[in-house]
Amino acid sequence: MYPEYMVAPIREDLTSVGFEQLMTPEEVESVLNQKEGTVLVAINSVCGCAASKARPALKMAVASSENKPSKLVTVFAGMEGDAVAKAREFMLPYPPSSPSIALFKDGELVHMIERHHIEGNDLTRIVDSLQGAFEDYCAK
């Protein structure tokens, strides 16, 4: 666990643009057990690729997309361990990775961006991947 004063601005990087911070397994279940709508889940972290690629890509994709997920949520790896573990259960069969980004539609995982997709790509490709998923699954 990291000191809260250290992660507060990292949390705020996403919550300030509309992401809801989920703190408990019950909160995660409540959101991800919904069978209608789309939910974008960001597993946030203190690592450099989260700061330089994952969070900026999330913010850019959401801000610039006509079609957006109906709900934006985040859990923080290294902090709320039980909430992160619960979110990762919904992301199976993908192995745990942080940061990572998952899109759910009507309770089903439909798009996954793992850490190696984040580290190994430039920002534009991550944004394009998210926007493509939003177009495919979040169309009105």
Side-chain angles (χ1 to χ4, degrees):
M1 300 231 344
Y2 302 100
E4 184 59 36
Y5 73 86
M6 184 175 144
V7 299
I10 300 170
R11 288 184 201 279
E12 188 177 336
D13 198 18
L14 292 179
T15 60
S16 67
V17 296
F19 282 78
E20 176 187 354
Q21 178 71 53
L22 304 179
M23 305 293 278
T24 67
E26 295 78 19
E27 290 175 342
V28 171
E29 283 184 327
S30 174
V31 169
L32 294 182
N33 278 329
Q34 294 177 16
K35 300 301 180 197
E36 289 187 19
T38 51
V39 180
L40 184 65
V41 180
I43 296 190
N44 201 353
S45 102
V46 298
C47 74
C49 65
S52 66
K53 294 183 181 180
R55 290 191 302 273
L58 284 159
K59 293 187 296 185
M60 289 171 68
V62 169
S64 63
S65 295
E66 189 173 314
N67 298 314
K68 298 176 174 63
S70 44
K71 190 154 189 69
L72 308 170
V73 299
T74 182
V75 292
F76 206 111
M79 292 301 289
E80 291 76 41
D82 293 339
V84 172
K86 183 53 71 178
R88 287 178 172 155
E89 287 177 20
F90 285 89
M91 296 173 188
L92 291 171
Y94 293 94
S97 69
S98 55
S100 59
I101 304 164
L103 180 65
F104 293 83
K105 180 176 177 131
D106 300 334
E108 299 294 323
L109 178 63
V110 293
H111 189 75
M112 184 73 183
I113 300 176
E114 299 174 84
R115 180 186 177 112
H116 68 92
H117 297 125
I118 295 166
E119 287 178 314
N121 268 319
D122 62 35
L123 184 59
T124 305
R125 287 187 183 199
I126 301 165
V127 171
D128 289 346
S129 176
L130 288 167
Q131 289 176 326
F134 296 169
E135 187 66 30
D136 290 344
Y137 299 106
C138 303
K140 296 181 176 155

